[in-house]
Amino acid sequence: MFAAENRAFLNRVFTEHSSHDLALAREISDRHLRDLGFLFPTLPTHFRLDRTTLDELHSATARLVSAHRKVMRHVCSSLSTAELAATFRIPEAMAGHIHWQWMTEGTALARADIIPTESGYAFCELNTFSGVGGGECQHSARLHAELLGLPAAGASPFLDLARHYLTQCTRLGLDRLVILDSVRHSRRGYGRDQPLVDFLRIMAPDLDVVYCNETSYRAQWLRAPHARRILVHRLITFADTDDDGAFLKAVDDSGATVSCMFEAELGMHRKWFSLLCDPDLHHLLDPEEVETLRRHVPMTFDLAPDILDDVLASRGDYVFKHSYTYGGDGVLIGAEHSAPALRARFVADGVETWTCQRMVEASTLELPVADGPSAEEAGHRKTVEFDFVLGVYAYGDRTNGALVRGSADSKVVNASRGAISWAFAD
């Protein structure tokens, strides 16, 4: 298991290397990450994940993505735009620009968020979005490992993504790839996918690779002769726009090939985990997919007024998640809030917009934190206990390591509420 394996690994890392070497490796790898535009705090080391476990998690992620698509296709097949917006309580502007073919064809671009426990791995979220973040951490963590003389096997998720896009460009006859950001998103420190740009330019020197936002996207690219030659890699979600997605819709309407539209946001809605846990829908799935849900997905269900009192009475057993928010927003740990406070929040938002997921206890690791230069020199390192969430990327059948996010302050673990690193496969 993740914690048990890394306790032994981290003990070797911090006992076999000097404080000077550890500090230098972290400083250089952190600087590299900042140079890539990724500005969130980092964990003090990289991690390990045995190859068998990673392969199992990747296979489980693929089965979860497949089950998710099947349930989405079934539920949405008979809904109009207005009905879809009402059922999932999403803006009609979002519901009106969904590519339904995503549910039946094409390579999945996703990242599963996974809680490592002492007895296994629990899948808590599925991010079905081409621009899901964190891949830069593989590059900085690899540098950290190399500076300490440690192995770091596995390819960058950006290399896998570059291969996927080059295949698409060749198949569709496209000669320009635009990495589309927004002014709002670029200020938040999630990076600009620079490794993807670098891989594409090295692997396909004749492909015009451009990074831009809604203010620098060229006007002529919105006209059909130019648009039909463009593949757009979305870095931004609907929430990262200031115009209710209007510019994204204009790009899509122009005839450009867009990596995904708002089916991605719909797919990240928390309601899908409730539906995946509904046994009445399991006839849609293969036996292996049902077993993956049973083994890896904590029981999840929609909150409703008639069960609110009972759920609040046992709130310590649940994590509460709000509608289609993501990135750690709209997540409340039941044990950390009073029943009156939770009731007030649920009623204000609409009780039916919340889901309840069975709380699982993450396995923890103690990591060193600096306690002053003199303490470091004397060999005394203060340690703090961290909770973790892993992120396994699914770009078709390609596999690599896993994003690691850890927090010593909150059980809601993500980049904005904790720190980040990478786990390399043995």
Side-chain angles (χ1 to χ4, degrees), residues 125-193:
E125 302 222 351
L126 184 63
N127 301 279
T128 55
F129 177 52
S130 61
V132 63
E136 291 90 346
C137 299
Q138 193 270 356
H139 294 253
S140 63
R142 176 182 289 277
L143 183 57
H144 182 272
E146 291 173 348
L147 288 166
L148 296 177
L150 298 170
S156 164
F158 287 117
L159 176 58
D160 295 338
L161 188 57
R163 288 168 172 158
H164 166 70
Y165 282 149
L166 290 178
T167 299
Q168 273 198 303
C169 286
T170 299
R171 180 173 61 85
L172 298 173
L174 309 177
D175 57 17
R176 176 173 292 120
L177 192 146
V178 176
I179 296 175
L180 184 59
D181 207 343
S182 72
V183 173
R184 175 190 287 189
H185 179 264
S186 64
R187 292 170 178 163
R188 299 178 63 190
Y190 282 105
R192 54 186 181 273
D193 282 14

Side-chain angles (χ1 to χ4, degrees), residues 82-364:
E83 290 169 334
L84 189 67
T87 299
F88 288 88
R89 298 173 185 266
I90 60 175
E92 284 202 40
M94 180 190 296
H97 240 76
I98 287 174
H99 289 174
W100 298 109
Q101 66 269 25
W102 177 89
M103 301 180 201
T104 57
E105 62 186 48
T107 299
L109 305 178
R111 190 192 72 207
D113 287 349
I114 305 166
I115 301 172
T117 72
E118 290 296 338
S119 59
Y121 295 86
F123 285 60
C124 58
E125 302 222 351
L126 184 63
N127 301 279
T128 55
F129 177 52
S130 61
V132 63
E136 291 90 346
C137 299
Q138 193 270 356
H139 294 253
S140 63
R142 176 182 289 277
L143 183 57
H144 182 272
E146 291 173 348
L147 288 166
L148 296 177
L150 298 170
S156 164
F158 287 117
L159 176 58
D160 295 338
L161 188 57
R163 288 168 172 158
H164 166 70
Y165 282 149
L166 290 178
T167 299
Q168 273 198 303
C169 286
T170 299
R171 180 173 61 85
L172 298 173
L174 309 177
D175 57 17
R176 176 173 292 120
L177 192 146
V178 176
I179 296 175
L180 184 59
D181 207 343
S182 72
V183 173
R184 175 190 287 189
H185 179 264
S186 64
R187 292 170 178 163
R188 299 178 63 190
Y190 282 105
R192 54 186 181 273
D193 282 14
Q194 186 61 42
L196 176 61
V197 174
D198 295 338
F199 281 128
L200 289 168
R201 288 175 175 168
I202 291 170
M203 297 166 70
D206 293 333
L207 181 67
D208 184 25
V209 181
V210 183
Y211 168 88
C212 63
N213 58 38
E214 72 273 28
T215 66
S216 55
Y217 194 93
R218 297 179 186 175
Q220 64 263 36
W221 292 350
L222 293 171
R223 294 194 285 271
H226 298 277
R228 286 195 292 266
R229 297 162 51 195
I230 297 173
L231 190 154
V232 176
H233 166 65
R234 274 182 65 197
L235 270 184
I236 50 174
T237 65
F238 185 87
D240 294 319
T241 69
D242 293 315
D243 58 1
D244 285 337
F247 183 74
L248 279 172
K249 288 184 280 187
V251 171
D252 189 45
D253 289 340
S254 71
T257 300
V258 184
S259 57
C260 59
M261 280 302 290
F262 300 138
E263 68 279 0
E265 284 84 345
L266 178 63
M268 292 188 285
H269 197 291
R270 269 67 185 258
K271 187 180 183 68
W272 293 115
F273 266 55
S274 297
L275 293 168
L276 286 168
C277 289
D278 184 352
D280 289 341
L281 295 176
H282 286 179
H283 68 281
L284 301 169
L285 311 179
D286 297 337
E288 295 82 3
E289 294 165 350
V290 175
E291 175 59 19
T292 295
L293 295 175
R294 184 199 66 78
R295 182 179 178 187
H296 289 296
V297 176
M299 175 53 64
T300 309
F301 57 92
D302 290 340
L303 193 56
D306 61 333
I307 62 170
L308 180 57
D309 289 343
D310 290 340
V311 169
L312 289 176
S314 55
R315 62 190 179 280
D317 295 335
Y318 298 112
V319 180
F320 301 100
K321 300 183 178 183
H322 189 228
S323 64
Y324 74 96
T325 55
Y326 31 82
D329 294 334
V331 178
L332 301 174
I333 305 295
E336 296 178 357
H337 301 272
S338 69
L342 289 172
R343 184 188 298 274
R345 175 70 183 272
F346 298 155
V347 170
D349 292 333
V351 174
E352 297 90 345
T353 66
W354 286 82
T355 61
C356 312
Q357 188 171 83
R358 179 70 63 178
M359 180 75 180
V360 296
E361 286 298 327
S363 54
T364 61

Side-chain angles (χ1 to χ4, degrees), residues 24-33 140-141 143-144 147:
L24 182 63
R26 187 174 185 187
E27 179 183 354
I28 293 173
S29 58
D30 282 3
R31 183 180 303 169
H32 180 63
L33 194 60
S140 63
L143 183 57
H144 182 272
L147 288 166

